């Protein structure tokens, strides 16, 4: 049992190191670090919720301490990053564009229940953008209200999304959540490879991306929301080849599917001092909930989509990571008008880890995150267990 605990602990440290969460500024600083982080992780999920700073900015700020939202917007305009679908709407490295082609081409060649747009409206949208230049969605909304217009906003919006998903249009820039669309040939840099990968090449890309970003992976994690027997067969073949080359090793634990881990990480000694980090619910490190449950013994679910009366922890809880242990979660909200950052409900779940060192790091992390959200004051509303309320309020006031 001690051997298994030691192996799990090594996996925890290895994956946090691979995620850029074990030490401060592991990708460097500034805009170049943002691109380095994104290329290493493979993608950053985009989310529209703004209870606190949006997930894509939060996730990058966690890894690049001097991060500014403008960095990501500039990387899109500089054509180093593009938007498309990974397992959800995401920012991806432009150098990986060809691996988005299979999904684009599949949509071009087949009808989609989700993007069943009118071909005439699609052609109209393409013609307008080709002749008049990049357009925002609201540009078409305004045009649809003109007298005599033969199309309305809803089918045009669907046409924009279909043209984007099948690769005819790309996002040329974004300001906040407002996107600007342009023709692919005017956005995609000339040097980018647009050769469609073979199914085996695509499998290699997925395996290597997950191993690089997480240090270890499982077949279920790699194929998350991806279907097809051929893909699973090819992924298995890639993994078996890497096992033979001894670049990865297989680890087996009771109740967990086989884990494939980079061999060099099993020999590493990780000595970074523990620190508290407030993670986005959409952070790459926690997005695979089964993986976090099995390796970190942390049961995390986002409850903003759950009816209020059925929520256990709160609307938008952030996982709290201390070193390689998840010690709780905090439901919070940035009140931007009053510049107050509210800790609506702080849940401390790993009581044995709660020490003065944890508390000091937690308060500092909260202050930094509040500042990132444009807030200048902190409000602690509730703590569970309640016995910690006094000590945490005292610490907050002391460092205010």
């Amino acid at each position: 049992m001690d051997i298994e605990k030691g192996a799990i602990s090594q996996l925890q440290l290895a994956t946090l190191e691979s995620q850029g969460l074990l030490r401060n500024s592991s990708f460097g600083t500034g805009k170049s670090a943002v691109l380095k982080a994104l290329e290493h992780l493979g993608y950053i999920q985009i989310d529209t919720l703004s209870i606190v700073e949006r997930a894509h900015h939060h996730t990058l700020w966690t890894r690049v301490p001097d991060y500014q939202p403008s960095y990501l917007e500039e990387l899109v305009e500089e054509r180093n990053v593009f938007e498309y679908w990974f397992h959800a709407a995401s920012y991806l490295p432009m150098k990986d564009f060809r691996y988005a082609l299979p999904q684009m081409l599949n949509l071009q060649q087949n009808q989609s229940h989700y993007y069943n747009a009118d071909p005439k409206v699609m052609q109209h949208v393409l013609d307008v953008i080709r002749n008049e230049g990049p357009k925002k969605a609201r540009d078409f909304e305004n045009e649809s209200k003109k007298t005599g217009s033969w199309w309305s906003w809803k089918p045009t919006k669907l046409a924009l999304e279909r043209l984007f998903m099948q690769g005819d249009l790309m996002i040329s820039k974004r300001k906040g959540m407002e996107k600007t669309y342009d023709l692919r040939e005017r956005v995609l840099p000339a040097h980018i490879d647009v050769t469609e990968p073979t199914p085996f090449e695509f499998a290699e890309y997925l395996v290597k991306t997950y191993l690089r970003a997480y240090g270890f992976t499982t077949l279920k994690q790699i194929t998350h929301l991806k279907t097809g027997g051929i893909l699973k067969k090819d992924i298995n073949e890639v993994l078996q080849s890497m096992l033979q080359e001894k670049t990865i090793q297989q680890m087996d634990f009771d109740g967990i599917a086989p884990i494939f881990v980079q061999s060099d990480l099993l020999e590493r000694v990780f000595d970074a001092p523990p620190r508290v980090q407030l993670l986005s619910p959409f952070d790459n490190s926690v997005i695979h909930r089964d993986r976090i449950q099995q390796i970190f013994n942390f049961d995390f679910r986002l409850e903003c989509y759950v009816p209020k009366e059925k929520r256990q922890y709160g609307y938008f809880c952030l996982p709290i990571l201390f070193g390689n242990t998840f010690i709780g979660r905090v439901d919070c909200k940035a009140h931007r008008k009053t510049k107050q950052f509210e800790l609506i409900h702080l849940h401390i779940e790993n009581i044995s880890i709660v020490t003065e060192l944890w508390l000091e790091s937690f308060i500092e992390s909260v202050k930094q995150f509040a500042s990132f959200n444009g807030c200048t004051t902190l409000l602690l509303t509730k703590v569970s267990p309640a016995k910690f309320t006094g000590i945490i309020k005292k610490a907050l006031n002391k460092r205010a």
Side-chain angles (χ1 to χ4, degrees):
M1 182 60 70
D2 288 341
I3 293 175
E4 184 167 303
K5 282 184 178 179
I8 291 289
S9 179
Q10 185 72 0
L11 282 179
Q12 292 171 349
L13 292 168
T15 196
L16 292 173
E17 172 77 3
S18 298
Q19 276 286 299
L21 293 174
L22 202 58
R23 60 195 80 245
N24 197 31
S25 303
S26 55
F27 295 108
T29 58
K31 186 166 63 174
S32 62
V34 175
L35 180 58
K36 184 178 180 183
L38 206 155
E39 289 182 342
H40 178 84
L41 297 173
Y43 80 99
I44 295 290
Q45 183 169 332
I46 301 170
D47 194 70
T48 59
L49 295 173
S50 60
I51 307 303
V52 297
E53 184 58 85
R54 288 187 171 93
H56 40 288
H57 296 311
H58 184 175
T59 299
L60 287 165
W61 173 82
T62 304
R63 293 158 175 81
V64 184
D66 66 342
Y67 173 81
Q68 300 293 325
S70 60
Y71 291 160
L72 192 52
E73 293 167 1
E74 289 168 14
L75 287 168
V76 171
E77 292 187 47
E78 293 164 3
R79 311 302 189 239
N80 288 310
V81 170
F82 75 105
E83 292 188 33
Y84 197 62
W85 204 261
F86 194 70
H87 68 264
S90 302
Y91 288 103
L92 298 113
M94 188 67 80
K95 68 182 185 63
D96 290 344
F97 179 83
R98 67 186 292 247
Y99 298 105
L101 286 171
Q103 186 168 349
M104 292 178 180
L105 294 172
N106 183 57
L107 273 168
Q108 284 181 18
Q109 297 161 8
N110 299 285
Q111 287 296 317
S112 168
H113 173 70
Y114 299 103
Y115 305 103
N116 191 18
D118 185 328
K120 290 182 180 179
V121 180
M122 289 170 63
Q123 189 60 55
H124 172 78
V125 169
L126 277 176
D127 290 342
V128 169
I129 293 177
R130 180 176 291 108
N131 295 328
E132 299 181 14
K135 294 286 184 182
K136 302 178 180 67
R138 61 184 168 93
D139 295 330
F140 290 98
E141 182 180 13
N142 293 335
E143 280 195 26
S144 71
K145 295 176 182 177
K146 292 179 181 178
T147 303
S149 175
W150 61 272
W151 48 274
S152 64
W153 165 229
K154 188 174 180 180
T156 307
K157 185 177 180 181
L158 196 60
L160 275 170
E161 285 301 310
R162 172 81 187 214
L163 289 165
F164 166 71
M165 287 300 294
Q166 67 182 35
D168 294 296
L169 296 179
M170 292 182 70
I171 307 301
S172 60
K173 68 177 181 178
R174 174 194 281 266
K175 193 68 176 177
M177 294 308 294
E178 186 174 55
K179 300 174 285 189
T180 299
Y181 298 84
D182 201 356
L183 301 178
R184 174 171 134 182
E185 56 263 33
R186 296 201 294 233
V187 176
L188 192 66
H191 67 274
I192 295 297
D193 186 357
V194 290
T195 307
E196 183 185 4
T198 65
F200 188 79
E201 286 177 322
F202 184 68
E204 278 189 313
Y205 157 73
L206 290 176
V207 171
K208 291 177 180 178
T209 296
Y210 276 92
L211 285 170
R212 183 185 66 243
Y214 295 97
F216 72 87
T217 191
T218 64
L219 180 62
K220 182 178 179 180
Q221 184 176 335
I222 299 172
T223 57
H224 179 60
L225 297 181
K226 296 177 176 65
T227 58
I230 293 177
L231 179 62
K232 288 186 178 181
K233 179 184 75 68
D234 286 340
I235 287 172
N236 267 319
E237 191 173 330
V238 173
L239 289 169
Q240 292 306 312
S241 176
M242 295 180 79
L243 283 170
Q244 291 179 2
E245 295 167 357
K246 298 185 177 180
T247 54
I248 63 171
Q249 295 182 35
Q250 181 173 323
M251 300 181 72
D252 298 292
F253 301 97
D254 288 341
I256 301 177
I259 289 172
F260 302 94
V261 57
Q262 290 180 310
S263 297
D264 61 317
L265 289 176
L266 294 175
E267 312 303 324
R268 292 273 301 276
V269 175
F270 303 102
D271 57 358
R275 60 195 177 100
V276 168
Q277 297 177 84
L278 305 180
L279 302 180
S280 167
F282 298 99
D283 193 285
N284 297 50
S285 63
V286 298
I287 203 65
H288 296 280
R289 311 305 194 201
D290 290 348
R291 176 179 168 277
I292 295 301
Q293 168 82 63
Q294 293 168 344
I295 303 301
F296 288 89
N297 194 29
F298 185 59
D299 185 12
F300 181 71
R301 297 292 183 272
L302 183 59
E303 296 183 315
C304 62
Y305 307 112
V306 175
K308 186 176 182 178
E309 63 276 9
K310 294 185 178 181
R311 291 177 196 147
Q312 183 179 0
Y313 296 105
Y315 182 81
F316 201 76
C317 280
L318 311 183
I320 306 171
L321 179 67
F322 179 53
N324 63 327
T325 304
F326 285 93
I327 58 173
R329 66 200 82 199
V330 56
D331 186 28
C332 50
K333 181 175 182 178
H335 300 279
R336 295 177 179 88
K337 287 185 179 180
T338 59
K339 295 190 174 182
Q340 185 179 66
F341 191 84
E342 182 182 5
L343 305 178
I344 300 169
H345 196 166
L346 169 61
H347 304 264
I348 301 170
E349 298 164 42
N350 200 322
I351 306 299
S352 63
I353 298 294
V354 179
T355 64
E356 187 174 340
L357 177 62
W358 171 87
L359 188 56
E360 183 175 343
S361 183
F362 173 74
I363 299 300
E364 185 61 30
S365 181
V366 168
K367 286 173 59 180
Q368 291 173 354
F369 190 58
S371 179
F372 181 59
N373 279 270
C375 296
T376 55
T377 60
L378 297 172
L379 172 65
L380 177 63
T381 303
K382 186 177 180 180
V383 179
S384 294
K387 66 180 181 179
F388 290 107
T389 303
I391 188 173
I392 293 174
K393 281 191 174 181
K394 183 179 178 180
L396 278 170
N397 293 331
K398 182 179 178 180
R399 294 168 176 83

